[in-house]
Amino acid sequence: MSIKQKAELLSQGSELPDFRNLGVLLRILLVVNVLALGTVLIIEAEPANWLPRWFDMAAHLELPLLCCVLLLYLAHPLLQRQPLWRAWALVLTGVAGVVAGMFPLLAGQVDPMVWRWVVWSLAATVVCLSYFEFRNRRLSSSLAEARMKALTARIRPHFLFNALNGVLGIIRSDPRRAERALEELADLFRALMKEQQELVPLSHELSLCERYLDLEALRLGDRLQVHWLLDGCPRDALVPPLMLQPLLENAVYH
């Protein structure tokens, strides 16, 4: 599963998997083939027949399975716009339609027992969707914890207390400066809590650093001396988000 998947989807734990993600597609193929093996182990009493029976079942299964995977890949944008119950219904309907149409073609005749394959395929589909549902729910808490740890790693907790104490110290003597400091603090934490998946212009990083230094100046006053060397600096250059702020914070701290 790609890490770039939206955290909101994982945290809700009630969304369809990304059928255009290679890892998801490979898991579907693996789970269905494991279910086929399990079915053979249940219905075949003789261990010597397990492998041939599984190969025979796989021969009938793989082409409809690949067609179903291709259908899910193509229909993923449509499924994402549907409520969960309707998306599940569409997935089950599509799988049933592919299986009901493919197996008679593979057999070369109308198979009166095709309904068994349809029922088995629907059961396998429910197992796959339930697996991804369970996996998303398990990942949601881990993702939230990881995001919180990442946030605390980006900025020292004492900075927040120092900034608030600095605001309290000037709120009566210089209310305009205190208001600006609170706005800078809100902008800083908004940037820290934002999903960091895209490159940002260097000018954005410099602006974030200026807000940070302005807040530190409340505590350090004239002791904080900063000299910017930005001649020839490409302000529109794309850089990883929050690349400069941790370096600047370490410089101020040490």
Side-chain angles (χ1 to χ4, degrees), residues 10 30 33 88 131 146 150-151 163 172 180 218:
L10 289 175
L30 178 61
N33 280 281
W88 273 58
Y131 160 74
L151 175 61
R172 292 186 178 179
R180 192 179 79 212
L218 291 176

Side-chain angles (χ1 to χ4, degrees), residues 213-214 216-217 220-226 252:
L213 290 173
D214 209 21
E216 286 286 30
L220 299 174
D222 294 336
R223 290 180 295 166
L224 180 62
Q225 300 291 330
V226 182
V252 172

Side-chain angles (χ1 to χ4, degrees), residues 67-85:
C67 290
C68 289
V69 168
L70 178 61
L71 178 63
L72 293 175
Y73 179 90
L74 296 175
H76 178 69
L78 172 64
L79 295 174
Q80 286 293 93
R81 296 194 295 267
Q82 307 300 321
L84 183 63
W85 65 269

Side-chain angles (χ1 to χ4, degrees), residues 159-160 163-164 181-190 215:
F159 168 75
L160 174 60
L164 291 177
L182 289 176
E183 292 175 350
E184 292 170 341
L185 188 62
D187 291 340
L188 182 61
F189 273 85
R190 188 179 297 113
L215 289 168

Side-chain angles (χ1 to χ4, degrees), residues 127-138:
V127 170
C128 289
L129 293 176
S130 300
Y131 160 74
F132 286 112
E133 179 90 3
F134 174 75
R135 189 171 183 272
N136 284 350
R137 291 185 182 276
R138 289 291 301 271

Side-chain angles (χ1 to χ4, degrees), residues 154-249:
R154 290 172 187 163
I155 191 164
R156 302 180 192 278
H158 292 294
F159 168 75
L160 174 60
F161 300 116
N162 292 335
L164 291 177
N165 287 333
V167 171
L168 290 175
I170 63 171
I171 197 168
R172 292 186 178 179
S173 60
D174 193 351
R176 290 184 178 274
R177 177 66 183 90
E179 181 180 359
R180 192 179 79 212
L182 289 176
E183 292 175 350
E184 292 170 341
L185 188 62
D187 291 340
L188 182 61
F189 273 85
R190 188 179 297 113
L192 291 171
M193 298 183 71
K194 185 179 178 181
E195 286 299 310
Q196 311 298 338
Q197 297 180 352
E198 305 292 340
L199 298 178
V200 298
L202 182 59
S203 58
H204 180 273
E205 286 294 288
L206 293 175
S207 177
L208 191 67
C209 291
E210 290 172 354
R211 289 182 174 87
Y212 171 78
L213 290 173
D214 209 21
L215 289 168
E216 286 286 30
L218 291 176
R219 176 173 63 94
L220 299 174
D222 294 336
R223 290 180 295 166
L224 180 62
Q225 300 291 330
V226 182
H227 180 53
W228 294 93
L229 299 175
L230 301 177
D231 293 340
C233 178
R235 298 296 186 100
D236 57 346
L238 298 179
V239 297
L242 300 175
M243 180 183 72
L244 298 180
Q245 189 273 334
L247 299 175
L248 187 59
E249 185 174 5

Side-chain angles (χ1 to χ4, degrees), residues 25-43:
L25 298 179
L26 291 177
R27 285 186 177 91
I28 292 175
L29 298 175
L30 178 61
V31 169
V32 172
N33 280 281
V34 169
L35 291 175
L37 177 60
T39 303
V40 170
L41 296 179
I42 292 174
I43 65 177

